[in-house]
Amino acid sequence: MTFDHFPPSRAAGLDRLKAFVPHAGGDYASGRNYDISAVDSVCVSGLSPYVRHRLLRETEVLQAVLNRFSPSTAQKFIQEVLWRTYWKGWLELRPSIWGDYTYALDDQWNALQTQSGLRHNWEAACLGQTGIDCFDHWANQLIDTGYMHNHARMWFASIWVFTLELPWELGADFFLRHLLDGDPASNTLSWRWVAGAQTVGKTYLARPDNIAKYTGGRFRPQGLATYARPVEAPEKPPVTPLIPSDWIDKSLKTGMLITDEDMHPNFVLSGLPKGCASLMLDTSAARSPLMVCDRVTQFTSLSLNDANERLTGGASSTVHTAQQIVDWARKEGLEQVATAWAPVGPTATQLSKAKTLLADQGIRLVQIRSDFDSLAWPYATAGFFKFKDKIPMILNSL
Ligand SMILES: Cc1cc2nc3c(=O)[nH]c(=O)nc-3n(C[C@H](O)[C@H](O)[C@H](O)COP(=O)(O)OP(=O)(O)OC[C@H]3O[C@@H](n4cnc5c(N)ncnc54)[C@H](O)[C@@H]3O)c2cc1C
């Protein structure tokens, strides 16, 4: 498999950032909604596979853009990067939403086994064989490249829910199986937003004129839903306070865990002795109960190898489960395992299990959150517009 558009390394992410920075001002603001030349468009950055795995940190991306433009000239781009931060914080403050999604997905998967009509429509959507030309194009593009433009994601999700009348959870799962940037927070919460479960009474309806305008006339689909009734959703859970970040006890024999959630954990490394034992955790195959496509698992695995090479000179091996972390820590005679904070999702689930299992063996698992996340996430208590007020303060902290 080749990764022509998104080579799996930090160096490739930095190259892409460097090439994009000159376009992060006016070009981005005026062109970002157009899905015209697809993956290689310079109007959007295509940085998401790198940012999602933190091969590049948001702080680096913001800093690079602010070195070239004023905050007001690059306002639109800065806001979009901070949408990601906002979604991450929002889910971190309400982790049960991820559990609700995975339970609902299991129910939908069971329904697919017994309802042949639903299964037929779901298969057609996933194979890009619905007969709606733009939708089929985007499905195939996603399968072929691992990427979809933001506006196309909005149209696609809207058509999935309101025209094809498929459950949003199955659409979110289709994305997580194929997107190189598939992310528990940005994906789940964006699908909820389109379907009307995120902001009370607000849905997103894909309109043929809007699609025609922003695809440069490539598509003008017929027969789309003309009304978007919000899906039924339970009350949002109350905000739970952020769990405090851990600290490294320098008197203990410590090993480092590099995960698929953070492949540039410089702030953890700085607290560790040089040459300490290290291990990689890859949970990309657990992003879906179905088979996650090879492109996604290989991108993640090769990116982890890149991180391993940079951080340890290639000394670590890869595991996938909590028990394997415990086996490694015991074999290395560790008293402490240090890792970057993993936000809500499959990696955090394994780390939570590992913490309990390690504690049974008298070994500490310490999860260090970056200053940027600790500062920004607690502000994601309500809608984005409230969070937006904090952007100048967040930028000042860089
Ligand atoms: C239904 C749906 C599902 C989505 N699923 C994901 C997902 O799984 N993972 C993911 O990273 N993004 C997701 N997004 C958000 C957005 O579509 C992508 O982040 C963006 O398209 C990535 O392309 P880019 O890097 O070229 O973006 P650019 O426009 O160049 O933006 C720069 C960076 O800002 C962040 N960003 C931009 N727009 C958004 C946004 N609306 N929400 C959150 N972050 C944003 C990304 O990290 C992106 O790399 C989803 C959006 C929708 C509508």
Side-chain angles (χ1 to χ4, degrees):
M1 177 169 303
T2 56
F3 289 94
D4 298 340
H5 299 295
F6 304 103
S9 71
R10 174 168 159 80
L14 286 169
D15 285 349
R16 194 175 258 275
L17 175 61
K18 196 170 162 202
F20 173 72
V21 163
H23 303 284
D27 288 352
Y28 182 80
S30 59
R32 59 178 284 270
N33 279 327
Y34 288 87
D35 177 23
I36 291 175
S37 56
V39 179
D40 286 326
S41 159
V42 287
C43 291
V44 290
S45 70
L47 287 170
S48 53
Y50 303 100
V51 176
R52 185 266 177 257
H53 296 97
R54 287 208 153 150
L55 282 158
L56 293 182
R57 311 196 75 77
E58 290 94 316
T59 44
E60 296 178 274
V61 174
L62 293 170
Q63 197 69 70
V65 167
L66 288 169
N67 286 346
R68 171 119 185 181
F69 295 109
S70 68
S72 59
T73 311
Q75 186 189 32
K76 203 64 221 167
F77 182 74
I78 291 168
Q79 273 177 17
E80 291 306 314
V81 173
L82 285 162
W83 258 106
R84 172 189 146 87
T85 310
Y86 166 74
W87 283 142
K88 295 304 280 182
W90 199 95
L91 192 60
E92 209 63 14
L93 300 179
R94 301 163 188 83
S96 61
I97 291 277
W98 173 251
D100 293 349
Y101 159 72
T102 57
Y103 290 131
L105 186 59
D106 281 347
D107 288 347
Q108 297 299 348
W109 176 241
N110 288 335
L112 284 177
Q113 312 305 312
T114 53
Q115 298 176 31
S116 57
L118 175 67
R119 188 178 179 98
H120 175 267
N121 292 344
W122 169 76
E123 277 174 356
C126 294
L127 293 170
Q129 294 174 358
T130 63
I132 304 171
D133 57 358
C134 54
F135 184 94
D136 294 345
H137 167 80
W138 293 318
N140 286 313
Q141 186 192 50
L142 174 60
I143 291 166
D144 291 345
T145 66
Y147 181 82
M148 195 189 289
H149 185 281
N150 180 59
H151 215 162
R153 294 185 202 205
M154 291 162 64
W155 295 319
F156 186 96
S158 177
I159 296 171
W160 180 287
V161 176
F162 302 116
T163 299
L164 300 174
E165 298 182 350
L166 286 164
W168 71 264
E169 294 90 348
L170 290 176
D173 175 66
F174 173 63
F175 270 19
L176 280 190
R177 282 186 282 125
H178 291 282
L179 279 172
L180 292 180
D181 65 29
D183 180 84
S186 292
N187 192 56
T188 313
L189 303 179
S190 297
W191 274 88
R192 279 171 54 91
W193 175 79
V194 169
Q198 187 67 13
T199 312
V200 177
K202 196 166 164 24
T203 49
Y204 178 76
L205 185 64
R207 296 177 196 278
D209 285 354
N210 182 263
I211 294 175
K213 175 175 173 188
Y214 288 105
T215 58
R218 282 188 299 155
F219 302 110
R220 186 184 290 276
Q222 303 295 308
L224 299 191
T226 52
Y227 176 66
R229 181 196 300 279
V231 297
E232 281 181 23
E235 282 266 300
K236 276 183 223 139
V239 166
T240 53
L242 213 53
I243 300 168
S245 174
D246 291 326
W247 51 276
I248 296 174
D249 182 341
K250 291 197 171 165
S251 69
L252 300 179
K253 183 173 179 197
T254 305
M256 175 177 60
L257 184 65
I258 307 163
T259 76
D260 51 357
E261 288 290 342
D262 198 323
M263 301 195 194
H264 187 51
N266 43 354
F267 59 101
V268 180
L269 265 184
S270 60
L272 295 178
K274 274 209 162 52
C276 68
S278 56
L279 184 76
M280 295 178 285
L281 173 67
D282 179 354
T283 69
S284 55
R287 288 178 198 171
S288 165
L290 304 186
M291 209 165 105
V292 174
C293 80
D294 283 353
R295 185 179 301 281
V296 169
T297 52
Q298 283 198 30
F299 178 88
T300 312
S301 152
L302 293 169
S303 299
L304 267 171
N305 287 344
D306 172 73
N308 180 31
E309 200 58 49
R310 269 184 288 114
L311 301 171
T312 73
S316 335
S317 50
T318 303
V319 298
H320 308 281
T321 65
Q323 186 58 52
Q324 290 172 304
I325 299 172
V326 181
D327 295 344
W328 162 76
R330 290 191 59 193
K331 192 175 120 242
E332 296 289 339
L334 300 178
E335 298 166 300
Q336 178 173 255
V337 175
T339 191
W341 189 273
V344 174
T347 300
T349 304
Q350 289 307 318
L351 289 185
S352 161
K353 284 184 194 157
K355 193 172 180 101
T356 310
L357 294 171
L358 286 166
D360 290 345
Q361 306 288 329
I363 306 170
R364 288 182 84 210
L365 175 70
V366 294
Q367 301 179 66
I368 318 288
R369 197 166 43 231
S370 72
D371 291 344
F372 178 79
D373 294 342
S374 292
L375 173 74
W377 287 354
Y379 292 115
T381 50
F384 182 73
F385 288 95
K386 199 165 167 211
F387 182 82
K388 213 166 87 173
D389 292 343
K390 304 291 174 197
I391 291 181
M393 183 272 295
I394 293 172
L395 295 184
N396 272 337
S397 77
L398 288 179

